[in-house]
Amino acid sequence: MNIKVHFVCLCNHRLQCEMSKLQLKNIGLLGIIFLFLSCDPPHSIEFINNADSELKVKFKIDTTITNYDLNYIENKNADSIVFNIKEKDTAELHFGIGTWSDAEIRKQVNSLKEIDIENADFKKVLKSKRKMEEFLTKHKEGGIGWKTKIIIEIE
């Protein structure tokens, strides 16, 4: 990105003008840095069911661990989150603002006991924290440096 700042000096003090140009450039640079650092996008897990049968996705929650990202779920006393996704349809689980860093995935996995994914043709059960972490990390997607989605596509 190339930023050009044109500054016309209306005074007779050349040193003062040079300092004003430098200050203006610094303010512009700080504005751009602030813009990039202040944008914290939402992150989510998206399920895409391309199969010809209904897909069931179940997150079994460890209720002994507090996870404020999952606080908005309607039944806060539930021990699981279940999606029944019709064929050729999608579902998404939102986790608020942030990105899918390794630490963020680890934090979310620590609040889970198990992930079950099944349809008429297969069943995948992830019980260990390590396997859940590997599975979610493998499916991270997003822009350069910003992994904002985990996309799990079932064929």
Side-chain angles (χ1 to χ4, degrees):
M1 182 181 336
N2 190 6
I3 300 172
K4 292 185 178 181
V5 177
H6 297 282
F7 186 80
V8 178
C9 183
L10 300 176
C11 65
N12 295 328
H13 306 289
R14 186 154 183 81
L15 180 60
Q16 216 173 13
C17 287
E18 291 301 318
M19 286 178 51
S20 295
K21 285 181 190 179
L22 184 61
Q23 288 172 340
L24 188 59
K25 286 181 183 179
N26 286 340
I27 290 170
L29 182 61
L30 283 173
I32 291 169
I33 290 171
F34 179 74
L35 176 69
F36 282 111
L37 293 178
S38 66
C39 296
D40 210 358
H43 62 306
S44 61
I45 299 176
E46 182 178 3
F47 298 94
I48 302 171
N49 183 10
N50 289 326
D52 293 327
S53 62
E54 188 173 285
L55 177 68
K56 182 178 180 178
V57 179
K58 185 175 187 178
F59 291 92
K60 292 184 181 174
I61 300 170
D62 185 347
T63 56
T64 63
I65 296 177
T66 303
N67 183 337
Y68 295 108
D69 293 332
L70 299 176
N71 257 357
Y72 69 92
I73 295 171
E74 288 179 25
N75 186 357
K76 292 181 182 180
N77 297 323
D79 65 348
S80 60
I81 303 168
V82 179
F83 291 100
N84 291 308
I85 307 166
K86 296 188 184 325
E87 62 230 30
K88 311 295 183 202
D89 203 359
T90 64
E92 198 162 1
L93 180 59
H94 297 276
F95 289 85
I97 61 172
T99 58
W100 286 118
S101 65
D102 291 341
E104 177 68 12
I105 289 175
R106 195 170 306 112
K107 177 181 122 182
Q108 298 304 330
V109 163
N110 283 335
S111 65
L112 299 174
K113 288 182 181 178
E114 191 174 292
I115 301 174
D116 300 339
I117 304 171
E118 73 175 291
N119 69 8
D121 298 323
F122 80 95
K123 181 171 183 165
K124 183 173 189 84
V125 179
L126 302 164
K127 291 185 177 186
S128 77
K129 305 274 187 214
R130 183 177 60 81
K131 286 295 184 186
M132 285 188 272
E133 216 175 297
E134 287 173 5
F135 179 76
L136 295 174
T137 300
K138 181 176 129 184
H139 291 92
K140 284 193 300 188
E141 294 191 18
I144 299 170
W146 290 34
K147 304 298 181 192
T148 58
K149 279 193 181 265
I150 293 175
I151 300 177
I152 299 167
E153 189 169 357
I154 309 300
E155 298 294 328

